[in-house]
């Protein structure tokens, strides 16, 4: 701004000097000066607009990938749990609105005539492939499938060979989805409403990133196309402008559809271009993203191979072997003591605490292994609860927490009553111990059922009909077990009668 004023002042001086030496008519001078002043002011206001549109440095960034109608129940390429993902994304956006410095919405944006849509291809009978058909380079060489436009014969062979050489996947024919201008292209209402409210409150524009409009290449990643076409800048290079914009955030949260495809390959490209020392600033909310049915393995591979984002198993965050051995040793001492007493006692009832001890010995060190590196501080636990992300947000996680509390109480009380004397006493009976044991049993069953229906893992691993079948089997098994126990408990004691000689 100062520079513009300086230019304007210099121009005025130059004009005054020129007028004295060249005898310019005095009325012309003011109009020229006013024109220069207006031009300077125009640059000033343009700078103000540029600065207002600039992505601020710091804060929280949110990258929402392809939350579009086509990928939700009722859409042409529906993911069964996408509505639940969208609800959690909208809630996250609303809850963290004041912390968000930037919101990026990517949008799959296709032509109907597209290399991954059926109408692009035909067989010898003139028929198009069905959705989810895989077309390999060998299929093209053998003449199983060919492009309807015969001028593209060589291109599609080179294209499929390139895909297969990348090791990612072969060409998949998808249902026609996210066609530009169609209802399926729209952002789903709840996510859009939350984003629009954020832009209203923050006075910051939403960044919309369109991808996939070139009909001759797929564009899963929001950062680059699968096949570079030099004539189209949107496919020929990595979107470094978007990467630099995202890097301005202190922490970047990634959500959206689908975990098996567009989220998967966006994260891979982002990790490859991200500063190594800042990889922990990438966070995938896995309960805000789901895989396309049938492609769950691809989503799991994301966790194994790109383990640099905070929500993926990062080797640097895993417990070291030394710490794991120490943890196992710490649990081995009390569990070993219990097992030793149980073996020495030899009674059938001793199996009960023995099995509990074995469960603790096997499960708890493993739980410690997958905890983040370092001590789990109370403050961190409270932050997780307050943030409402990933932990203690579903009935499954709360049921597990309550069950663990009752289990700890039950084990502690059982140890006190059994080993309070010099000799192990297995003959005691205590109503409180029975009650907490029943609560642990009920809590474990509830946790299992909630895990099937409300956890991200359950939703991803089992279709709704399979969830129902497993629920019926679990309930039937436990009802049978409890019923048998009640029958045995109410059965009168059997007394042996001596034979009368």
């Amino acid at each position: 701004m100062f520079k513009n004023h300086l230019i304007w002042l210099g121009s005025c001086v130059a004009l005054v000097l020129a007028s004295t030496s060249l005898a310019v008519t005095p009325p012309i001078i003011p109009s020229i000066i006013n024109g220069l002043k207006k031009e300077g002011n125009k640059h000033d206001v343009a700078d103000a607009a540029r600065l207002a549109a600039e992505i601020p440095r710091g804060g929280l960034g949110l990258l929402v990938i392809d939350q579009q109608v086509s990928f939700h129940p009722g859409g042409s390429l529906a993911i069964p749990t996408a509505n639940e993902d969208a609800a959690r994304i909208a809630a996250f956006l609303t809850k963290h609105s004041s912390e968000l410095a930037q919101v990026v919405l990517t949008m799959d944006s296709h032509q109907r005539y597209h290399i991954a849509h059926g109408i692009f291809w035909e067989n010898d009978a003139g028929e198009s492939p069905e959705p989810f058909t895989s077309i390999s380079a060998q299929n093209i060489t053998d003449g199983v499938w060919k492009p309807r436009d015969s001028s593209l014969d060589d291109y599609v062979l080179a294209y499929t060979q390139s895909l297969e050489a990348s090791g990612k996947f072969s060409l998949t024919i998808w249902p026609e989805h996210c066609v530009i201008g169609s209802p399926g292209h729209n952002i789903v209402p709840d996510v859009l409403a939350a984003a629009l409210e954020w832009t209203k409150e923050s006075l910051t524009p939403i960044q919309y990133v369109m991808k996939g409009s070139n009909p001759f290449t797929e564009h899963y990643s929001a950062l680059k196309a699968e096949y570079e076409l030099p004539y189209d800048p949107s496919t020929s290079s990595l979107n470094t402008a978007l990467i630099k914009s995202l890097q301005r955030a202190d922490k970047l949260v990634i959500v959206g559809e689908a975990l098996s495809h567009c989220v998967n390959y966006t994260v891979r490209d982002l990790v490859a271009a991200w500063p190594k020392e800042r990889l922990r600033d990438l966070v995938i909310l896995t309960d805000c993203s789901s895989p396309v049915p049938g492609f769950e393995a691809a989503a799991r591979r994301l966790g194994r191979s790109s383990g640099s984002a905070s929500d993926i198993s990062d080797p640097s965050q895993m417990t070291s072997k030394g710490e794991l051995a120490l943890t196992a040793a710490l649990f081995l001492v009390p569990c070993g003591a219990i097992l030793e007493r149980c073996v020495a006692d030899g009674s059938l009832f001793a199996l009960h605490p023995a099995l509990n001890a074995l469960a603790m010995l096997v499960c708890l060190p493993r739980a410690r292994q997958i905890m983040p590196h370092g001590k789990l501080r109370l403050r961190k636990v409270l932050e997780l609860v307050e943030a409402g992300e990933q932990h203690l947000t579903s009935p499954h996680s709360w049921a597990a927490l309550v069950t663990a509390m009752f289990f700890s109480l039950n084990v502690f009380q059982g140890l006190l009553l059994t080993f309070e004397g010099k000799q192990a006493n297995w003959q005691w009976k205590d109503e409180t111990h029975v009650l907490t044991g029943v609560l642990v049993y009920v809590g474990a069953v509830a946790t299992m059922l909630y895990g099937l229906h409300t956890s991200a893992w359950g939703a991803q691993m089992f279709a709704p009909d399979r969830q129902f079948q497993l629920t019926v089997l679990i309930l039937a098994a436990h009802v049978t077990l409890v019923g048998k126990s009640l029958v045995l408990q109410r059965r009168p004691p059997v007394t042996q009668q001596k034979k009368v000689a």
Side-chain angles (χ1 to χ4, degrees):
M1 192 174 290
F2 174 75
K3 181 181 177 181
N4 292 331
H5 286 306
L6 191 61
I7 293 171
W8 173 75
L9 182 61
S11 301
C12 291
V13 172
L15 281 171
V16 171
L17 293 173
S19 65
T20 57
S21 59
L22 300 174
V24 178
T25 307
I28 298 177
I29 297 174
S31 63
I32 296 175
I33 292 173
N34 288 334
L36 288 169
K37 187 173 182 180
K38 287 180 180 178
E39 189 65 26
N41 286 336
K42 183 190 291 186
H43 285 294
D44 289 345
V45 295
D47 284 344
R50 178 182 59 80
L51 291 171
E54 193 173 79
I55 303 301
R57 187 172 294 279
L60 188 64
L62 180 63
L63 176 59
V64 183
I65 298 174
D66 300 357
Q67 274 295 311
Q68 294 164 268
V69 172
S70 281
F71 297 123
H72 288 249
S76 58
L77 186 46
I79 297 170
T81 55
N83 283 345
E84 289 80 359
D85 294 338
R88 285 187 281 266
I89 292 169
F92 178 89
L93 216 162
T94 300
K95 183 170 184 177
H96 298 277
S97 180
S98 61
E99 304 163 44
L100 286 167
Q102 57 175 303
V103 173
V104 181
L105 303 182
T106 75
M107 298 180 70
D108 228 12
S109 305
H110 296 312
Q111 304 270 358
R112 187 185 182 200
Y113 178 66
H114 188 273
I115 198 168
H117 288 169
I119 65 167
F120 191 95
W121 300 88
E122 65 177 351
N123 57 17
D124 287 339
E127 301 166 331
S128 293
E130 292 294 323
F132 303 104
T133 299
S134 181
I135 298 180
S136 66
Q138 190 62 47
N139 292 151
I140 295 169
T141 302
D142 294 343
V144 177
W145 297 109
K146 57 187 177 182
R148 290 184 181 274
D149 182 349
S150 59
S151 68
L152 294 170
D153 286 348
D154 292 337
Y155 173 76
V156 295
L157 180 60
Y159 179 79
T160 51
Q161 288 173 339
S162 174
L163 287 185
E164 291 164 18
S166 71
K168 292 181 181 178
F169 43 72
S170 58
L171 174 63
T172 299
I173 300 301
W174 300 109
E176 293 176 7
H177 64 283
C178 298
V179 175
I180 300 168
S182 71
H185 186 248
N186 294 335
I187 302 290
V188 288
D190 47 358
V191 173
L192 180 62
L196 293 178
E197 184 61 26
W198 170 81
T199 199
K200 173 188 171 184
E201 296 296 328
S202 66
L203 303 180
T204 304
I206 298 168
Q207 299 174 70
Y208 293 96
V209 177
M210 309 293 174
K211 64 183 181 69
S213 58
N214 189 301
F216 302 112
T217 179
E218 294 161 284
H219 205 140
Y220 292 115
S221 170
L223 301 173
K224 69 175 183 181
E226 298 306 321
Y227 192 81
E228 293 188 8
L229 296 167
Y231 71 87
D232 184 352
S234 71
T235 70
S236 59
S237 60
L238 189 69
N239 191 342
T240 54
L242 177 57
I243 293 172
K244 288 179 180 178
S245 173
L246 296 173
Q247 287 176 350
R248 295 179 72 88
D250 289 335
K251 191 173 287 290
L252 180 65
V253 175
I254 305 161
V255 297
E257 310 303 344
L259 189 60
S260 52
H261 290 81
C262 295
V263 174
N264 187 340
Y265 296 108
T266 298
V267 168
R268 291 174 185 273
D269 289 339
L270 197 57
V271 167
W274 205 260
K276 300 300 181 186
E277 67 276 9
R278 290 196 58 203
L279 286 176
R280 291 176 183 270
D281 295 337
L282 298 177
V283 179
I284 304 174
L285 299 187
T286 52
D287 59 351
C288 295
S289 183
S290 301
V292 174
F295 293 87
E296 291 83 4
R300 288 193 291 271
R301 282 196 296 271
L302 171 64
R304 287 198 296 267
S305 61
S306 58
S308 304
S310 299
D311 198 51
I312 300 174
S313 300
D314 184 351
S316 67
Q317 297 184 45
M318 298 291 281
T319 305
S320 68
K321 291 182 179 179
E323 287 187 37
L324 182 59
L326 178 61
T327 305
L330 290 174
F331 283 106
L332 184 61
V333 173
C335 293
I338 295 171
L339 289 171
E340 187 271 330
R341 292 286 190 98
C342 294
V343 171
D345 178 79
S347 68
L348 185 62
F349 184 78
L351 282 175
H352 171 60
L355 292 175
N356 275 347
L358 284 172
M360 289 176 64
L361 189 60
V362 171
C363 297
L364 293 180
R366 175 60 183 162
R368 175 67 186 95
Q369 184 186 18
I370 61 174
M371 283 182 185
H373 185 69
K375 295 180 180 178
L376 188 62
R377 298 181 176 85
L378 177 60
R379 180 181 175 185
K380 182 62 177 176
V381 174
L382 294 175
E383 285 176 358
L384 291 171
V385 175
E386 182 183 0
E389 306 157 21
Q390 301 295 307
H391 300 273
L392 305 180
T393 57
S394 67
H396 168 68
S397 55
W398 280 107
L401 178 64
V402 172
T403 302
M405 291 169 61
F406 279 115
F407 176 74
S408 300
L409 177 63
N410 186 268
V411 170
F412 182 70
Q413 186 192 25
L415 289 172
L416 286 179
L417 293 172
T418 303
F419 299 113
E420 60 183 350
K422 292 182 179 180
Q423 296 291 329
N425 173 26
W426 302 107
Q427 305 304 319
W428 54 266
K429 290 184 179 181
D430 184 86
E431 292 184 1
T432 303
H433 185 75
V434 172
L435 177 61
T436 55
V438 170
L439 291 174
V440 170
Y441 179 83
V442 173
V445 175
T447 301
M448 190 185 305
L449 294 177
Y450 277 132
L452 276 175
H453 292 276
T454 70
S455 71
W457 180 87
Q460 289 175 12
M461 293 298 106
F462 303 104
D465 58 339
R466 187 62 173 160
Q467 288 176 331
F468 176 76
Q469 293 168 2
L470 290 171
T471 300
V472 171
L473 288 173
I474 291 168
L475 289 175
H478 288 289
V479 166
T480 303
L481 186 63
V482 172
K484 184 176 180 181
S485 175
L486 291 174
V487 168
L488 290 175
Q489 195 173 29
R490 291 179 180 179
R491 187 176 290 176
V494 178
T495 56
Q496 291 184 345
Q497 295 182 349
K498 293 182 180 180
K499 291 183 179 181
V500 179

